């Protein structure tokens, strides 16, 4: 995941991240989601169980969450996560942040 976020940043897509380690969810999880306009949920379960748990247990609107699903039996890769998030970010009309140049350049 860290590698995917670094690659996305080179494409101008800057994201925060939170790793969910267990259920029931800590209070910080719904707080993190509420603090963001849109959240990508990276999961390796065909039924998108994590997204369902977040919507049901935390009262999160399902429209706020987008599942990045990988469930073909192989390990999830940085390339897969990067491609899926970049494609879905375009669908949401996410405009990459353009960092201002400083100095004499």
């Amino acid at each position: 995941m860290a590698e995917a976020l670094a690659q996305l940043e080179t494409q101008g897509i800057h994201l925060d991240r939170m790793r969910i380690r267990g259920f029931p969810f800590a209070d910080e999880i719904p707080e993190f989601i509420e603090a963001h306009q849109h959240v990508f949920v990276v999961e390796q379960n065909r039924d998108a169980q994590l997204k369902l748990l977040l919507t049901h247990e935390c009262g999160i609107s399902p429209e706020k969450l987008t599942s990045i699903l990988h469930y073909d039996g192989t390990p999830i890769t940085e390339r897969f996560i990067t491609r899926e998030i970049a494609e879905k970010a375009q669908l949401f009309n996410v405009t990459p942040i353009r960092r201002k140049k400083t100095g004499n350049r």
Side-chain angles (χ1 to χ4, degrees):
M1 191 66 211
E3 293 167 341
L5 291 176
Q7 181 61 31
L8 287 163
E9 192 161 317
T10 66
Q11 298 175 28
I13 301 171
H14 305 277
L15 304 171
D16 294 328
R17 72 172 170 167
M18 172 177 266
R19 182 175 180 187
I20 299 175
R21 294 180 180 252
F23 182 81
F25 298 128
D27 293 338
E28 293 81 12
I29 293 169
E31 292 169 4
F32 176 87
I33 294 170
E34 288 299 324
H36 293 82
Q37 187 176 13
H38 199 83
V39 176
F40 296 102
V41 181
V42 178
E43 52 189 327
Q44 296 186 73
N45 180 284
R46 179 185 59 89
D47 297 323
Q49 286 180 331
L50 182 55
K51 179 182 174 183
L52 290 174
L53 283 170
L54 289 168
T55 58
H56 289 92
E57 298 295 324
C58 300
I60 304 295
S61 171
E63 292 83 26
K64 190 169 191 165
L65 305 174
T66 297
S67 289
I68 304 298
L69 295 172
H70 184 273
Y71 58 92
D72 67 2
T74 63
I76 194 167
T77 64
E78 170 271 325
R79 188 176 306 141
F80 175 84
I81 296 169
T82 301
R83 183 185 68 242
E84 291 293 310
I85 289 177
E87 286 175 7
K88 288 179 174 46
Q90 284 182 334
L91 295 175
F92 294 115
N93 293 320
V94 173
T95 303
I97 297 173
R98 305 281 186 229
R99 296 192 187 265
K100 293 182 179 180
K101 292 183 180 181
T102 58
N104 295 332
R105 297 180 197 206

